Amino acid sequence: MSTAILTGPPVAGSPLEADLRALGFDVRTADDATAAAELINAVPAQERVAVVDPRFVGHLHALRLALTDPRFPAAAVPGALTAQPAARAALTRAVGRIPVGAGTAHLTDVLTDTLTESLDRDGTGLHRVELGSLVATVALTPAQREDAREAVAAVDDEAVRLRTAVKSRDGFFTTYCISPYSRYLARWCARRGLTPNQVTTASLLTALIAAGCAATGTRGGFIAAGFLLLFSFVLDCTDGQLARYSLQYSTMGAWLDATFDRAKEYAYYAGLALGAARGGDDVWALALGAMVLMTCRHVVDFSFNEANHDATANTSPTAALSGKLDSVGWTVWVRRMIVLPIGERWAMIAVLTALTTPRIVFYALLIGCALAACYTTAGRVLRSLTRRARRTDRAARALADLADSGPLAELIARSARGRGRTGSFLAPVMAFLSAAVLLVWVIFENDPASWLTVGVALCSALLAGAAVARPLKGALDWLVPPFFRAGEYVTILVLAARADVPGALPAAYGLVAAVAYHHYDTVYRIRGGTGAPPRWLVRATGGHEGRILVITVLAAALSPSGFTIALTALAVALALLVLIESIRFWVSSQAPAVHDEGEPA
């Protein structure tokens, strides 16, 4: 339930009251600031309340943006403001501070502006809506009202609403091949009462059907899979556009949108591997390699962005060069396509699935993603080395959470604390050695399923603990989580491949998928401002070093077939543990009411 309070001189013939009711508000009127204060206090604290000047003239969509967006505790445009339950106390204080009597007319004549300034000073997180070409103003005279109405008539707010439903920054394929018509599909869905979550779910189901078609292993199945994967991507674009078009942002939507893209893509990889197996070609190692590469790419993106989320003094010449290149239109699109964003990637996968074989699909995917990873990582390393910035405690905490260190690494870190210097290259070097020592051993050792590998895993854990012993505030400390992810995922891949028994690689695929879900869940919780998953969950999953140690022990202690069974059991246990906690969090009141805009990759 939402209540809008009209306070100020009434305007005959204004459509404002009807507009507010169309937006779902119960409209009440107040003659003065005192009456407005009484009405505001009478609205239950758990409800949204809006204060609107009756002299407001503007587009309906300007009102919609100011009064119905759930992402902000308070929002305002000239002549209208809203406060959600989180900002209601601040609004009550703001109303209570308004003086009455002689000499206060300048404060109460345009009450909404006074309250907006007060909320802004109170630090409530007030969001001032960027209107662009939309109109929102308080017309104090008939002449101003006439001018404002002419300005409103000159701009088609439905066209603006459709245009802004599309992300301002997206890949070439999405921008020119999907968004020109998916925005109209989003409007069609909105007018029929469909929600973004329903469209997101439809996208997931379509991708799962595509994976099932690919799993048939027939040419007809591969062709159908390609078309369905593209249609799934159309729906994937539509759900976000529908959320922006109708401002239907939700906690559940944030979780679904954040995780379903990966679920769809990795389920499709599994479908291709199953289809190839029906034709006698075992590509599970390639499928798992593609998943590992994609996840590590995203960890690089997430870690770099979190490390520089609130960094100051960005003086990087690389960043300056990138800014200059942005003024040359064609370079913008080339640089966006080089990183193989999700639109280009899914289009490539769909076309190659329909025309070639799963093995060729994975070869192309691995080569393309590897080149993209080298390009983006090299650029970020150069930016980090050439910028002078002071990284904050928040950034260091986020990187520590992304590192996913378990009890063993924490114990080692406590014993090593105080040695080394914060801000040096010690942390990324130790993280690199932690991953490299283990990977070189399991790749080149004749029999990695041995107790010697367990000893190497313990040495890797020692190096990992040393890497996180100090706050991660160095120029390249954002590389620590990606090194840990690569070490863990590739170790699982190699040990399963070297087991050389049927089912080992599919079991490893499921295990990496469960662990990767936990890592993506961590990212999106941090992005939502709620922090990482609870420490009990991280300890229960063992942390990256604990899982590596358990897996190497299982490989050494069990036969290859027993190792396969153990991997399967571990995958199921971890999946249940992280999924149950994740679902509990994302459907709870703690979850952020945001819609993830997604990564270009």
Side-chain angles (χ1 to χ4, degrees):
M1 186 64 181
S2 302
T3 300
I5 298 169
L6 291 172
T7 176
V11 178
S14 171
L16 179 60
E17 193 168 335
D19 286 346
L20 290 171
R21 287 200 172 93
L23 295 177
F25 284 91
D26 176 28
V27 182
R28 304 178 188 179
T29 59
D31 296 331
D32 53 31
T34 302
E38 292 174 355
L39 285 176
I40 290 171
N41 292 329
V43 176
Q46 70 273 16
E47 293 182 9
R48 175 196 293 268
V49 64
V51 181
V52 185
D53 194 304
R55 297 164 294 182
F56 173 89
V57 180
H59 287 100
L60 176 62
H61 193 49
L63 274 180
R64 182 182 290 108
L65 290 170
L67 304 185
T68 66
D69 195 329
R71 294 174 297 174
F72 310 105
V77 293
L81 70 93
T82 186
Q84 292 201 70
R88 284 292 305 280
L91 180 61
T92 300
R93 290 193 299 270
V95 171
R97 285 195 292 262
I98 296 177
V100 296
T104 63
H106 66 288
L107 295 176
T108 57
D109 186 44
V110 185
L111 182 62
T112 53
D113 289 352
T114 302
L115 294 176
T116 297
E117 294 298 329
S118 183
L119 287 175
D120 209 2
R121 291 193 301 270
D122 218 18
T124 59
L126 176 76
H127 172 65
R128 293 182 183 269
V129 178
E130 294 184 9
L131 293 171
S133 58
L134 295 175
V135 175
T137 186
V138 176
L140 302 178
T141 67
Q144 290 178 351
R145 176 168 293 274
E146 187 61 30
D147 290 343
R149 285 174 174 168
E150 290 179 1
V152 169
V155 176
D156 183 351
D157 73 334
E158 178 61 18
V160 172
R161 190 181 179 192
L162 269 175
R163 186 177 68 250
T164 55
V166 178
K167 284 194 295 186
S168 59
R169 177 183 171 85
D170 225 328
F172 182 89
F173 180 77
T174 304
T175 299
Y176 291 104
C177 299
I178 304 296
S179 293
Y181 58 88
S182 62
R183 70 183 76 183
Y184 295 101
L185 179 58
R187 182 171 67 182
W188 183 89
C189 292
R191 291 177 175 176
R192 281 152 184 80
L194 297 177
T195 67
N197 292 351
Q198 291 170 332
V199 178
T200 302
T201 303
S203 176
L204 174 67
L205 293 175
T206 303
L208 293 179
I209 294 172
C213 291
T216 63
T218 64
R219 177 51 51 197
F222 288 146
I223 293 173
F227 279 109
L228 287 170
L229 185 65
L230 283 178
F231 183 59
S232 173
F233 182 65
V234 171
L235 293 176
D236 183 58
C237 295
T238 301
D239 66 356
Q241 291 163 0
L242 175 58
R244 286 181 286 273
Y245 180 85
S246 56
L247 300 182
Q248 295 184 72
Y249 304 104
S250 68
T251 56
M252 180 63 74
W255 175 60
L256 295 178
D257 192 65
T259 56
F260 276 14
D261 277 353
R262 302 287 77 78
K264 289 180 285 190
E265 190 165 2
Y266 298 159
Y268 191 81
Y269 293 173
L272 285 174
L274 289 170
R278 285 179 176 271
D281 189 11
D282 186 354
V283 296
W284 274 107
L286 295 177
L288 181 50
M291 180 165 66
V292 168
L293 181 55
M294 282 304 309
T295 305
C296 290
R297 273 193 65 192
H298 287 133
V299 173
V300 169
D301 296 338
F302 298 145
S303 296
F304 179 81
N305 291 336
E306 288 302 323
N308 296 283
H309 181 270
D310 45 12
T312 58
N314 184 359
T315 56
S316 166
T318 309
L321 175 61
S322 179
K324 291 180 180 178
L325 288 175
D326 285 342
S327 62
V328 183
W330 66 270
T331 67
V332 174
W333 292 117
V334 168
R335 284 180 292 137
R336 289 186 191 179
M337 293 172 70
I338 286 175
V339 301
L340 204 63
I342 187 170
E344 277 77 355
R345 189 168 69 251
W346 282 27
M348 179 187 75
I349 293 170
V351 170
L352 290 179
T353 298
L355 299 179
T356 64
T357 65
R359 180 172 290 273
I360 292 176
V361 173
F362 285 123
Y363 281 154
L365 187 62
L366 286 166
I367 293 170
C369 288
L371 292 174
C374 291
Y375 169 77
T376 55
T377 305
R380 286 167 178 171
V381 168
L382 286 174
R383 286 192 182 204
S384 300
L385 291 174
T386 56
R387 74 184 298 176
R388 292 188 297 275
R390 178 174 296 176
R391 289 171 175 82
T392 64
D393 291 337
R394 177 203 171 281
R397 180 68 262 167
L399 290 179
D401 290 333
L402 291 173
D404 192 31
S405 299
L408 181 57
E410 285 182 337
L411 178 64
I412 296 166
R414 281 196 295 271
S415 64
R417 196 155 287 151
R419 303 172 187 176
R421 183 169 58 86
T422 299
S424 68
F425 296 120
L426 181 63
V429 168
M430 290 294 103
F432 172 77
L433 290 175
S434 172
V437 165
L438 184 61
L439 293 181
V440 169
W441 177 268
V442 297
I443 291 172
F444 295 104
E445 170 62 21
N446 289 331
D447 182 19
S450 67
W451 292 105
L452 282 176
T453 304
V454 177
V456 175
L458 282 171
C459 293
S460 174
L462 287 171
L463 293 168
V468 296
R470 301 298 298 268
L472 299 176
K473 294 184 177 181
L476 295 179
D477 284 1
W478 56 270
L479 286 170
V480 170
F483 283 144
F484 287 165
R485 293 298 79 75
E488 179 182 2
Y489 297 160
V490 178
T491 296
I492 296 172
L493 190 161
V494 173
L495 287 176
R498 298 288 293 275
D500 197 24
V501 293
L505 280 167
Y509 191 94
L511 178 57
V512 172
V515 176
Y517 177 88
H518 167 58
H519 291 143
Y520 280 113
D521 188 50
T522 300
V523 166
Y524 290 112
R525 292 198 198 204
I526 293 172
R527 280 184 167 184
T530 57
R535 285 304 302 168
W536 70 260
L537 179 65
V538 177
R539 294 189 178 101
T541 60
H544 69 93
E545 81 290 347
R547 289 188 294 271
I548 289 174
L549 194 58
V550 168
I551 290 164
T552 55
V553 167
L554 292 174
L558 301 174
S559 65
S561 58
F563 179 58
T564 299
I565 295 171
L567 282 182
T568 304
L570 187 59
V572 172
L574 280 175
L576 288 174
L577 183 63
V578 299
L579 276 172
I580 290 171
E581 163 55 24
S582 177
I583 293 170
R584 182 210 63 78
F585 170 78
W586 286 103
V587 300
S588 72
S589 59
Q590 308 168 38
V594 298
H595 178 80
D596 178 58
E597 293 296 328
E599 288 297 315

